[in-house]
Amino acid sequence: MNILIVTQRFYPYNRIASFRINSFAKYFREAGYSVTVVTEGERDEAVNWNGCDVHYIKDPIMTQMQCNKFVRENKKWVPRRALRALETRILWGGPCIWRAKAYKKIEELFQKNNFDIVLSSYGPLAPHVLVMKLLKRGYKFFWIADMRDEMSKHPLNTKLRTYRFAIYERKILAKADLVVSVSKPIIDDFKTMCSHGRFLEVKNGYDYEEYHEVNFQSQFTMGYIGNFYGMAVPGNLFNAFSELIEEGRLPRNSRIKIVGNSLKLDIPDKIASNVVQYEAVPHEEAIRISMTEVDVLLMVHKSGRKGVYSGKLFDYLATNKPILALYDPNDVVAPLLAETKAGFIVDEADKEGIKDMMMKCYRIWKNKEVLPRDWDKIRQYSRRNQIQILLDYLSEVFCRGNN
């Protein structure tokens, strides 16, 4: 069968959102499907990636990589970014020039191929809008809408953004042959907006070899890999860490290593020298750092947004390092950590609880202990095994259709 993937984020874009779609393409191809990808790139070109035909379409106004660079360099209102901001406020379906160029390429590909399946990814809207246009023009295929996270119900949306997204969201949910998302709570929310049950939970996951060796740093080091954003606010993390050092419960040379954060952080003066920040690195290097240069892996997320695992959780799982999740103890991360025995969870708002958990992690480091991870449970969260859930579903659907 032939599969077309329409996405704005794909390799080499160095973000969790692209790693998910990379894995769809990679493991669809390994399963024997013919895979074509239409995505955004730094130039218009066609390449072969892991056996997949990838067509990169450049957005002449601003690419995602350019936008990230402007954010890192604090170039907030260069003309191109101002134009993109204006376009975002006026247009509902995503960047208009990129959409036009991408649709033209997609129609060219449809003239050459009979695509059985089209998968569109969260963009949040542009890829789904392109597929709905194909349907309107009469093209026939099985549509998988990978919603990934919430759309209209994201708690950080403005009222206008919520209203706009809800209009498209209901159309996507109604028209897609299958809707995929990362967690049951998010799927349950989507179900309230439509009358069908065509949903499938496909989590994110890790895509590297398990690392069973354990090394301990010469000074106690906790690590956070990635950006602080939205509801990931490190204030209580820093305050708890500062107080433990001030109280003499943690050594004064203890460290927090932050890799890849581009936002300005409010770090207390007392621990300014203890918090070390590094620029973003390729994903493979970030995994290596997680495995070999820290003793504890940190996650931070305020309560109030249900069903969010965070991509870094799965990247952390197979490193054999304790995970300390400052997360809602009543949400999805808690049972996953419990079943895999990979770490600990404490409410991000509970500073005293954070201090207790930090001390627990410190004692593990001091005593050179290793958590008794359940590797069989962990392996179900590899990207290969998560994509297999979708492959099994498709095999059943198409076999049933042929019968």
Side-chain angles (χ1 to χ4, degrees):
M1 287 192 297
N2 292 334
I3 297 181
L4 173 66
I5 296 177
V6 183
T7 179
Q8 284 180 276
R9 295 171 177 86
F10 195 73
Y11 176 87
Y13 189 61
N14 193 37
R15 288 290 188 278
I16 289 292
S18 65
F19 304 151
R20 177 174 175 84
I21 305 306
N22 296 349
S23 66
F24 279 120
K26 176 181 175 181
Y27 293 116
F28 283 164
R29 185 70 190 93
E30 285 192 8
Y33 293 123
S34 173
V35 179
T36 303
V37 181
V38 173
T39 187
E40 184 186 283
E42 295 301 295
R43 61 188 66 83
D44 294 330
E45 63 178 339
V47 303
N48 184 282
W49 178 85
N50 282 338
C52 305
D53 293 324
V54 183
H55 297 266
Y56 290 101
I57 310 296
K58 181 176 180 178
D59 187 327
I61 296 178
M62 177 182 289
T63 66
Q64 290 291 331
M65 290 186 181
Q66 289 168 339
C67 183
N68 292 337
K69 181 180 179 181
F70 290 154
V71 171
R72 288 196 306 270
E73 296 176 357
N74 203 29
K75 295 180 179 178
K76 293 185 177 180
W77 295 114
V78 296
R80 280 187 293 171
R81 194 170 182 198
L83 183 57
R84 173 47 49 82
L86 181 63
E87 181 187 50
T88 300
R89 283 161 175 76
I90 295 173
L91 301 173
W92 292 20
C96 60
I97 299 178
W98 183 83
R99 272 192 294 135
K101 291 178 65 178
Y103 187 78
K104 181 179 179 182
K105 173 56 66 176
I106 290 168
E107 282 211 316
E108 289 177 5
L109 293 169
F110 260 95
Q111 303 309 314
K112 302 174 184 177
N113 300 278
N114 180 26
F115 291 110
D116 305 286
I117 298 169
V118 176
L119 184 148
S120 57
S121 76
Y122 183 93
L125 284 177
H128 302 315
V129 169
L130 287 169
V131 177
M132 285 195 290
K133 187 174 180 179
L134 286 171
L135 291 172
K136 191 174 181 179
R137 295 280 178 91
Y139 291 96
K140 303 295 184 183
F141 48 84
F142 186 92
W143 179 21
I144 304 171
D146 179 33
M147 301 295 276
R148 198 181 80 208
D149 299 328
E150 321 97 317
M151 188 174 284
S152 67
K153 292 193 176 183
H154 194 296
L156 296 182
N157 283 343
T158 63
K159 288 184 179 180
L160 178 59
R161 192 174 175 88
T162 296
Y163 171 73
R164 286 181 167 185
F165 280 171
I167 293 172
Y168 280 99
E169 189 172 38
R170 292 181 184 278
K171 292 179 181 178
I172 295 165
L173 295 174
K175 293 179 180 296
D177 296 291
L178 177 66
V179 178
V180 175
S181 188
V182 296
S183 73
K184 184 178 182 300
I186 293 176
I187 287 175
D188 287 344
D189 269 346
F190 285 139
K191 285 181 177 179
T192 66
M193 291 178 268
C194 62
S195 58
H196 65 79
R198 302 188 300 271
F199 291 88
L200 189 67
E201 181 182 0
V202 179
K203 297 180 179 69
N204 288 317
Y206 65 90
D207 204 13
Y208 59 90
E209 294 296 323
E210 299 163 9
Y211 194 78
H212 292 263
E213 296 180 31
V214 180
N215 63 321
F216 298 91
Q217 308 307 302
S218 59
Q219 58 195 102
F220 180 57
T221 303
M222 295 183 285
Y224 183 92
I225 315 297
N227 257 312
F228 288 101
Y229 56 90
M231 302 182 78
V233 181
N236 282 332
L237 167 71
F238 290 152
N239 289 334
F241 181 61
S242 178
E243 288 183 14
L244 287 173
I245 291 177
E246 190 69 17
E247 293 165 5
R249 297 169 66 189
L250 284 181
R252 288 204 166 270
N253 66 350
S254 300
R255 296 194 303 168
I256 295 179
K257 177 179 286 191
I258 299 171
V259 180
N261 176 63
S262 60
L263 301 181
K264 182 175 176 57
L265 299 177
D266 185 12
I267 302 171
D269 292 339
K270 291 180 180 179
I271 58 169
S273 61
N274 301 86
V275 179
V276 186
Q277 298 192 67
Y278 299 87
E279 292 186 355
V281 296
H283 189 236
E284 294 80 6
E285 176 64 6
I287 296 299
R288 187 197 67 76
I289 291 170
S290 301
M291 292 174 175
T292 62
E293 295 186 9
V294 300
D295 301 300
V296 179
L297 289 160
L298 296 167
M299 297 172 56
V300 182
H301 206 280
K302 280 188 173 183
S303 298
R305 185 182 172 206
K306 294 292 185 181
V308 180
Y309 286 101
S310 174
K312 63 171 56 61
L313 168 62
F314 300 102
D315 273 350
Y316 288 172
L317 266 183
T319 64
N320 214 10
K321 295 296 177 74
I323 298 169
L324 176 53
L326 279 59
Y327 250 72
D328 183 350
N330 299 310
D331 202 5
V332 290
V333 170
L336 189 148
L337 287 178
E339 71 168 340
T340 59
K341 302 177 182 177
F344 316 104
I345 191 164
V346 60
D347 197 305
E348 181 275 340
D350 181 5
K351 190 173 69 173
E352 290 304 314
I354 295 170
K355 291 168 70 173
D356 290 343
M357 285 300 180
M358 280 188 180
M359 290 306 301
K360 189 171 188 176
C361 292
Y362 169 67
R363 287 190 290 271
I364 289 172
W365 169 82
K366 186 177 181 180
N367 296 327
K368 291 184 167 48
E369 298 173 0
V370 180
L371 292 183
R373 267 173 160 76
D374 187 330
W375 288 100
D376 287 336
K377 295 286 189 183
I378 287 172
R379 288 182 191 112
Q380 69 181 323
Y381 298 114
S382 71
R383 288 198 185 272
R384 180 189 295 275
N385 287 334
Q386 286 299 304
I387 302 305
Q388 190 61 47
I389 294 170
L390 177 54
L391 289 169
D392 291 344
Y393 180 96
L394 293 175
S395 178
E396 181 181 344
V397 167
F398 280 87
C399 285
R400 189 167 61 236
N402 290 333
N403 294 329

